[in-house]
């Protein structure tokens, strides 16, 4: 360790087994975990400190302190402390509840029992008491307490099976094995207690698939890797017991290292609100300054005349000081322009939107019992503003369930269905599959439709037999025979499982394996092959091979891999067969199938023995082991004899094509970022209609060097723009780079697509080229990035976020998608075949890709619409409420006297107007869900941020200012000369306050009625109920009862009754309400006629054609006929060949809506359309077609 920035940075870890005294010198972390933030003592101070770090809370605390100063406050302290305490309490309860559940989870984990070897005996200890260097015992179905090195187990060769679902979501069993030297310790407690090996290894890190260390014991050293480690929270399966040495504990474990803090995501609405609140604070200061200056002038000119009979306080003799105090008084009074209840209301609305997503049965995926889930409540409205979607391919667009579909054997293609006359048939659910009843071990779920292949099998065609023999032998699948004729395969990839299952159904059944043998049933006869070597798969080799010896003693190498790799290694005699097979591969690729080429080689025994010796030396080398093995593999995998090729179908998920079409019509750009090969990704692109033969051009960037990539990018841009480009800019061009980007995107005519591989993308993302790459990609309708790493996925997302300033969404289903899911503004995880890591890292989870359109076009759009309408109305009602004080200041000597009663000020935002605006923010909708999906261009206002922005905010201010002027000056002018029925004046202060307050409640209630598009019983109850509650509280506060209990707080007995019984007062209220509402009604009517919005047109069209049957138009589907080569598409993992041959994994037992009317609606006058559409049905239909085009 070394000291860095006052903290110990661990460079390497050293420990000695069974030596706590030595290990404690390094002060390694204990095994106790703590994810909770508080305890009983620290909760209140820490939570309050966190809450007051929010500017709004600190601001209202500052106001509360000001209100405690009697010389500047004309309001009681309770007007601020009541809402502030309410907000702090609600937030504290929420934080305490969340933290309590974290505490319970921590406590449950920390108190799990573990058996620790102490002083030669096993003792039960809580997990939190386990220390680095302890030897612990695990039993079957137990969780692993810490990151441990496997020492020994109950299985042969020190083997252990673990389930890593808690770590990565995958339920497939993983195989781990102890060193041979430690596996000999067995379960002998005395020998385990005497074990004093020293471990030197890497420091704690978050790399789940990597571990590097060395064991020093008995003057020897042994290499350690990830295959010898059991990680915390894995579960021991199918293993009676195992012993392990604790390497990392508690927060140092890889699980906890991976559970770091996720970057806080905030919506554009949040960022805009923060800016607007700062502006409002500035506006508040300006109003306070104006009124403070007015107070100084009034005090100097007028107020001084009152001092002879109404003396001021002795310490207030200076008019300037009086104005200074008045400034702070008005800051207190006018603070309601940004009430604290705004933030509470926003969170309540977001919570309601999240529940709507969770409760949506139309996003429920029954086969997996998976519902949509909003895993965060703070990003809902951002779902309505997405401009770019970054999608994984396998498991996201496709099902990641592989099906053996077709094959090519010795130059003949199999897999198509034929009728009785020999004509090719379309395969459907009604098509009769091949009968496999001749094979008692066949998988009943397997379907194949070409009977000629079964006939070839039965006739004993040697090429066909050798083809399926290869599939039954060349793999790393594990077999578990639960009962006679009931086989269960555990494959490391769905591709490999599909191929072994196909061989099984065609009579070559893989039954079992040992480290030295593979047992298969060949047409009902058991055959045992001696397994001599496995040449393992990796991403560079793109192939795997096995070397086996049959019962006759013949040694043969079987290989399967990418066509581009194996074709280079074929014997020259295979040239003609290679061309035929290549044509078949092109046909398979054109159908979007994933392909593998199969080949074999007969080996001379002498040659193999020599090669085997070299292989042994290379596999035990301490340096350059991988390079030496790779060279040996390359040497023996030559002069192969071609057998044929397989074609596996990775089916598209249901509704993918329609979903992509809908989202594209909503002006959302979809980029596919996949680790799969280029050919396969392109074929899926065609299947999804992301790529079509009608496109102007499909650009493929495949350069290997920086210069090649740069030239390809510039050439593509020149072709798109029809202009030469110099140094990344159109030439000649006078516009700057920022102007250029917008001009470029507008001047491109036609549909283009961009395909780029991982090597080229690495260069394209370099600092001096990424802007050019982004400019090119932005001009394309479709972008597909192939063979990209998880880091590159995140870099592409970050590039668009940084330079396009667009709202991004990333969607995936695997651990390799986590980085881009966390980087994007919105991360969506799909519960798929690749585990749950993507879901756990996501903001929203869904069961299928097709639900994404509903999540965005319905829930996202509604959430954005509701939040924008909520904010507009909320700011409006508070400006109208607060600015009345500003106008009153000019008529009360700038004395900071309030217009309203103090209790009205307190209850206005938390009782009188809170529920109606919440109802609108939670339930409102402009058009229903069906029309939201049909008219996808309704989504565009969110992308353009049209519904609430700085312009709309200023309109809201103007509206609020106008309303406040009417609210004050109409009653003020009317009260000047009005009299009651008995001839007395109406113009007392309390009657004026009641009249203005009542007018305000009526105006904002009518206004929210006008703003509400979708009325529910809740809206009616909240709006009119709030009005009734206002009058109930008003009369209660002016009653004898409250006066008798709190005479100091409610002194104006009977004022409400005396004011509201007069017709004049009600006339003033009605006139005030009408004057506030009429301009709004007129403006909206003119806007609807002259410049209707998209939703206005849709609503009108539905009313106009409600008696007519809607016409359905379906998008023309472009069938994929062009020939594309598909090569290696194999999701296998490196390392399992070594496991098999070493015997470490052996167990010896006696395993759409119709795409209707989505185009931009016309902008013709609403009234003109009305005349046209009501003339007759024919003209209406004609007009509707024009609207949709």
């Amino acid at each position: 360790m070394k000291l860095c920035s006052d903290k110990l940075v661990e460079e390497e870890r050293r420990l000695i087994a069974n030596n706590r005294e030595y290990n404690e010198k390094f002060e390694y972390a204990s095994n106790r975990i703590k994810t909770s933030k508080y305890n009983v003592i620290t909760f209140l101070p820490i939570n309050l400190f966190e809450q007051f770090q929010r500017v709004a809370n600190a601001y209202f605390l500052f106001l509360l302190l000001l209100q405690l100063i009697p010389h500047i406050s004309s309001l009681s302290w309770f007007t601020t402390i009541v809402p502030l305490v309410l907000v702090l309490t609600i937030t504290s309860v929420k934080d305490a509840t969340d933290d309590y559940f974290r505490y319970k989870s921590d406590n449950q984990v920390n108190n799990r029992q573990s058996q620790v070897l102490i002083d030669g005996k096993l003792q039960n200890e809580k997990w939190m008491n386990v220390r680095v260097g302890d030897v612990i015992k695990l039993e079957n179905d137990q969780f692993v307490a810490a990151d441990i090195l496997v020492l020994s187990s109950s299985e042969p060769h020190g083997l252990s099976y673990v389930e890593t679902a808690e770590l990565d979501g995958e339920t497939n069993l993983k195989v781990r094995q102890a060193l041979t030297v430690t596996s000999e310790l067995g379960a002998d407690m005395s020998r385990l207690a005497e074990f004093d090996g020293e471990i030197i290894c890497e420091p704690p890190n978050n790399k789940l698939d990597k571990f590097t260390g060395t064991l020093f014991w008995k003057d020897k050293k042994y290499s350690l890797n990830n295959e010898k480690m059991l990680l915390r929270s894995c579960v021991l399966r199918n293993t009676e017991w195992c012993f392990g040495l604790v390497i990392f504990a508690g927060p140092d474990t890889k699980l906890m290292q991976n559970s770091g803090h996720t970057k806080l995501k905030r919506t554009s609405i949040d960022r805009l609100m923060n800016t607007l609140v700062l502006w409002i604070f500035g506006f508040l200061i300006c109003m306070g300054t104006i009124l403070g200056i007015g107070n100084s002038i009034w005090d100097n000119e007028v107020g001084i005349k009152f001092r002879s009979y109404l003396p001021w306080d002795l310490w207030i003799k200076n008019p300037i000081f009086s104005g200074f105090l008045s400034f702070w008084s008005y800051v207190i009074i006018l603070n309601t322009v940004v009430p604290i209840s705004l933030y509470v209301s926003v969170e309540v609305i977001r919570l309601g939107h999240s529940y709507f997503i969770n409760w949506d049965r139309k996003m429920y995926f029954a086969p997996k019992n998976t519902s949509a889930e909003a895993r965060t409540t703070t990003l809902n409205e951002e779902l309505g503003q997405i401009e770019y979607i970054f999608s994984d391919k396998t498991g996201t667009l496709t099902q990641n369930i592989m099906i053996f579909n077709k094959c090519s054997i010795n130059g003949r293609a199999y897999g198509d269905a034929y009728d009785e006359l020999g004509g090719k048939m379309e395969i459907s659910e009604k098509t009769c599959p091949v009968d496999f009843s001749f094979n008692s071990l066949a998988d009943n779920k397997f379907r194949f439709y070409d009977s000629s292949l079964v006939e070839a099998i039965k006739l004993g065609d040697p090429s066909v037999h050798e083809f399926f023999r290869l599939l039954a032998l060349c793999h790393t699948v594990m077999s578990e025979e639960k009962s006679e004729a009931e086989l269960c395969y555990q494959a490391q990839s769905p591709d490999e499982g599909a191929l072994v299952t196909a061989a099984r159904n065609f009579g070559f059944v893989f039954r079992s394996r040992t480290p030295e043998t593979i047992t298969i049933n060949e047409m009902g006869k058991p055959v045992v092959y001696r397994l001599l070597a496995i040449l393992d798969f990796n991403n560079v080799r793109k192939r795997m091979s096995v070397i086996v010896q049959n019962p006759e003693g013949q040694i043969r190498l079987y290989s399967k891999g990418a066509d581009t790799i194996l074709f280079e290694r074929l014997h020259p005699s295979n040239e003609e067969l290679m061309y035929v097979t290549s044509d078949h591969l092109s046909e398979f690729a054109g159908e979007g199938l994933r392909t593998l080429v199969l080949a074999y080689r007969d080996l001379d025994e002498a040659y193999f023995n020599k090669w085997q010796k070299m292989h042994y030396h290379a596999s035990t080398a301490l340096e350059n082991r991988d390079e030496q093995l790779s060279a040996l593999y390359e040497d023996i995998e030559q002069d192969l004899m071609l057998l044929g090729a397989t074609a596996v179908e990775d089916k598209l998920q249901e509704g993918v094509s329609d979903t992509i079409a809908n989202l594209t019509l909503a002006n959302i750009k979809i980029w596919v970022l996949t680790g799969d090969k280029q050919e396969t990704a392109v074929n899926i692109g065609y299947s999804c209609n992301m790529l079509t033969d009608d496109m102007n051009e499909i650009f493929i960037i495949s350069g290997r060097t920086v210069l090649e990539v740069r030239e390809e990018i510039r050439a593509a841009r020149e072709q798109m723009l029809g202009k030469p480009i110099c140094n990344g800019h159109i030439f000649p061009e006078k516009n700057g780079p920022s102007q250029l980007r917008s001009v470029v995107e507008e001047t491109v005519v036609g549909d283009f697509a961009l395909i780029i591989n991982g090597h080229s993308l690495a260069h394209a993302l370099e600092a001096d080229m990424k802007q050019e790459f982004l400019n090119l990609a932005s001009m394309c309708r479709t972008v597909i990035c192939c063979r990209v790493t998880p880091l590159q996925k995140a870099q592409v997302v970050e590039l668009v976020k940084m330079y396009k300033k667009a709202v991004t969404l990333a969607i995936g289903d695997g651990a390799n998608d986590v980085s881009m899911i966390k980087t994007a503004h919105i991360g969506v995880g799909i519960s798929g075949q690749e585990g749950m890591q993507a879901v756990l890292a996501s903001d929203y989870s869904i069961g299928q890709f097709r639900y994404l359109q509903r999540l965005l076009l319905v829930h996202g759009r509604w959430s954005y619409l509701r939040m924008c309408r909520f904010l507009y109305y909320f700011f409006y009602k508070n400006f109208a409420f607060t600015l009345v004080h500003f106008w009153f200041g000019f008529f009360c000597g700038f004395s900071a006297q309030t217009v309203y009663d103090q209790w009205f000020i307190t209850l206005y935002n938390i009782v009188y107007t809170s529920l109606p605006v919440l109802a609108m923010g939670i339930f409102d909708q402009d058009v229903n869900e069906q029309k939201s999906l049909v008219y996808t261009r309704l989504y565009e206002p969110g992308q353009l941020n049209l519904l609430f922005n700085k312009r709309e905010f200023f309109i809201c201010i103007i509206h609020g200012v106008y309303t406040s002027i009417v609210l004050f000056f109409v009653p003020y002018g009317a009260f000047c000369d009005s009299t009651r029925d008995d001839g007395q004046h109406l113009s007392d202060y309390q009657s004026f306050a009641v009249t203005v307050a009542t007018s305000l409640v009526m105006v904002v209630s009518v206004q929210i009625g006008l703003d509400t598009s979708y009325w529910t019983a809740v809206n009616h109850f909240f709006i009119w109920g709030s009005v009734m509650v206002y009058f109930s509280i008003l009369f209660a506060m002016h009653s004898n009862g409250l006066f008798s209990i709190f005479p100091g707080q409610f002194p104006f007995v009977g004022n409400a009754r005396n004011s509201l019984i007069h017709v004049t007062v009600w006339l003033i209220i009605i006139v005030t309400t009408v004057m506030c509402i009429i301009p709004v009604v007129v403006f909206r009517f003119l806007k609807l006629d002259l410049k209707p919005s998209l939703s206005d047109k849709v609503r009108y069209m539905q009313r106009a054609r409600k008696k007519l049957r809607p016409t359905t138009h379906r998008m023309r589907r472009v069938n994929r006929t062009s020939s594309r080569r598909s090569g290696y598409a194999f999701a296998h993992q490196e390392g399992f060949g070594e496991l098999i041959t070493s015997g470490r994994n052996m167990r010896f037992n006696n395993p759409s809506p119709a795409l209707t009317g989505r185009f931009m609606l016309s902008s013709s006058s609403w009234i003109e359309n009305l005349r046209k559409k009501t003339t007759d049905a024919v003209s209406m239909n004609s007009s509707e077609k024009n609207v949709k085009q």
Side-chain angles (χ1 to χ4, degrees), residues 362 662 853-854 857-858 861-862 925-939 1094-1095 1097-1103 1105-1106 1108-1111 1153-1154 1156-1159 1161 1184 1188:
K362 294 183 179 179
N662 280 356
Q853 65 172 324
R854 185 170 179 85
L857 302 184
V858 177
R861 199 182 71 83
W862 279 352
Q925 53 184 260
D926 54 350
V927 299
N928 61 30
E929 58 185 277
Q930 291 83 9
K931 298 305 175 282
S932 295
L933 292 171
V934 169
Y935 298 95
T936 55
R937 298 304 286 268
L938 290 169
Y939 191 79
L1094 295 175
S1095 59
K1097 297 175 184 178
V1098 172
R1099 284 199 302 272
Y1100 160 69
M1101 289 173 61
Q1102 298 317 300
R1103 288 195 299 267
R1105 60 187 281 247
K1106 63 182 178 180
L1108 294 175
R1109 185 174 181 178
T1111 304
T1156 306
R1158 295 168 174 86
F1159 300 97
L1161 302 174
E1184 179 185 347
K1188 294 178 181 179

Side-chain angles (χ1 to χ4, degrees), residues 753-927:
L754 174 66
I755 300 166
I756 184 169
N757 61 41
H759 293 292
S760 304
L761 184 62
H763 298 307
L765 292 176
E766 292 181 0
D768 60 339
M769 203 188 308
K770 59 185 179 182
Q771 187 69 63
E772 292 183 53
F773 166 68
L774 183 60
N775 287 341
L776 173 63
S778 299
M779 293 186 287
C780 296
R781 194 186 82 178
T782 298
V783 177
I784 299 177
C785 302
C786 314
R787 289 300 193 199
V788 294
T789 65
L791 178 60
Q792 285 178 323
K793 290 184 178 183
Q795 288 174 335
V796 172
V797 176
E798 188 63 40
L799 179 67
V800 174
K801 284 178 60 179
M802 182 181 301
Y803 289 99
K804 301 299 293 183
K805 305 299 181 185
V807 181
T808 59
L809 180 147
I811 180 170
D813 75 318
N816 61 335
D817 303 315
V818 168
S819 56
M820 73 170 180
I821 284 174
K822 289 186 174 181
T823 302
H825 293 96
I826 302 286
V828 178
I830 293 181
S831 303
Q833 302 293 322
E834 299 183 21
M836 296 292 290
Q837 274 197 329
V839 170
L840 296 176
S842 66
D843 304 304
Y844 300 87
S845 66
I846 54 180
Q848 292 271 279
F849 181 84
R850 69 177 186 269
Y851 299 140
L852 184 62
Q853 65 172 324
R854 185 170 179 85
L855 183 66
L856 301 186
L857 302 184
V858 177
H859 292 286
R861 199 182 71 83
W862 279 352
S863 294
Y864 172 71
L865 172 78
R866 291 162 177 167
M867 185 59 70
C868 291
R869 289 186 174 182
F870 163 80
L871 290 174
Y872 184 98
Y873 176 79
F874 204 98
F875 283 122
Y876 157 75
K877 74 181 181 67
N878 281 284
F879 270 98
F881 165 63
T882 305
L883 291 180
V884 172
H885 295 301
F886 180 79
W887 310 123
F888 186 57
F890 291 90
F891 296 88
C892 67
F894 306 95
S895 61
Q897 175 66 44
T898 61
V899 177
Y900 313 110
D901 176 78
Q902 293 186 10
W903 282 104
F904 180 82
I905 295 174
T906 304
L907 299 177
Y908 177 74
N909 276 303
I910 63 177
V911 176
Y912 300 149
T913 61
S914 60
L915 294 181
V917 72
L918 283 178
M920 182 179 71
I922 294 176
F923 299 108
D924 202 29
Q925 53 184 260
D926 54 350
V927 299

Side-chain angles (χ1 to χ4, degrees), residues 376-536:
T376 178
T377 61
T378 59
L379 302 174
N380 296 324
E381 64 268 19
E382 198 95 313
L383 289 170
Q385 298 181 279
I386 301 299
E387 296 178 63
Y388 286 84
I389 293 176
F390 301 92
S391 174
D392 178 40
K393 182 190 74 66
T394 304
T396 303
L397 301 179
T398 63
Q399 298 181 26
N400 200 23
I401 299 175
M402 309 302 173
I403 300 173
F404 183 84
N405 191 289
K406 294 183 179 182
C407 62
S408 171
I409 304 175
N410 196 28
R412 180 177 175 181
Y414 298 92
D416 290 321
Y418 298 91
D419 57 25
E420 296 176 354
L421 300 177
K424 187 182 294 187
M425 292 192 309
E426 181 97 13
I427 296 176
S428 65
E429 294 181 358
K430 297 181 179 180
T431 305
C432 183
V434 170
D435 182 12
F436 289 105
S437 59
F438 72 91
N439 181 2
S440 61
L441 295 174
D443 185 348
N444 295 328
K445 298 178 181 178
F446 183 81
R447 294 288 182 272
F448 198 76
Y449 299 94
D450 191 347
S451 58
S452 62
L453 186 56
V454 175
E455 293 174 3
I457 283 284
K458 292 179 179 180
L459 293 173
D461 187 322
S463 297
V464 175
H465 278 217
E466 198 66 17
F467 181 91
F468 286 108
R469 184 178 291 115
L470 185 152
L471 294 181
L473 293 171
C474 186
H475 57 79
T476 57
V477 172
M478 299 298 297
S479 174
E480 181 179 356
E481 191 160 350
K482 297 182 178 180
S483 63
E484 184 64 28
E486 186 179 355
L487 287 171
C488 179
Y489 291 149
Q490 291 186 356
Q492 297 304 320
S493 71
D495 310 68
E496 195 165 50
L499 297 177
V500 176
T501 300
R504 168 185 175 179
N505 279 267
F506 283 100
F508 288 77
V509 185
F510 167 62
R511 296 298 296 265
S512 64
R513 67 163 75 242
T514 71
E516 297 84 19
T517 64
I518 298 177
T519 301
I520 67 175
N521 269 34
E522 296 185 357
M523 303 304 292
K525 299 178 181 179
V527 181
V528 178
Y529 288 83
R530 184 184 173 196
L531 180 60
L532 302 177
I534 292 182
L535 284 57
D536 210 359

Side-chain angles (χ1 to χ4, degrees), residues 669-683:
K669 293 187 175 181
I670 302 176
W671 292 16
V672 176
L673 310 179
T674 177
D676 217 331
K677 61 187 298 298
Q678 176 178 307
E679 291 86 350
T680 306
V682 168
N683 294 327

Side-chain angles (χ1 to χ4, degrees), residues 33 70 165 218 286 351 370 398 434 1015:
I33 62 168
K218 296 182 178 179
C286 291
L351 183 63
T370 303
T398 63
V434 170
W1015 284 88

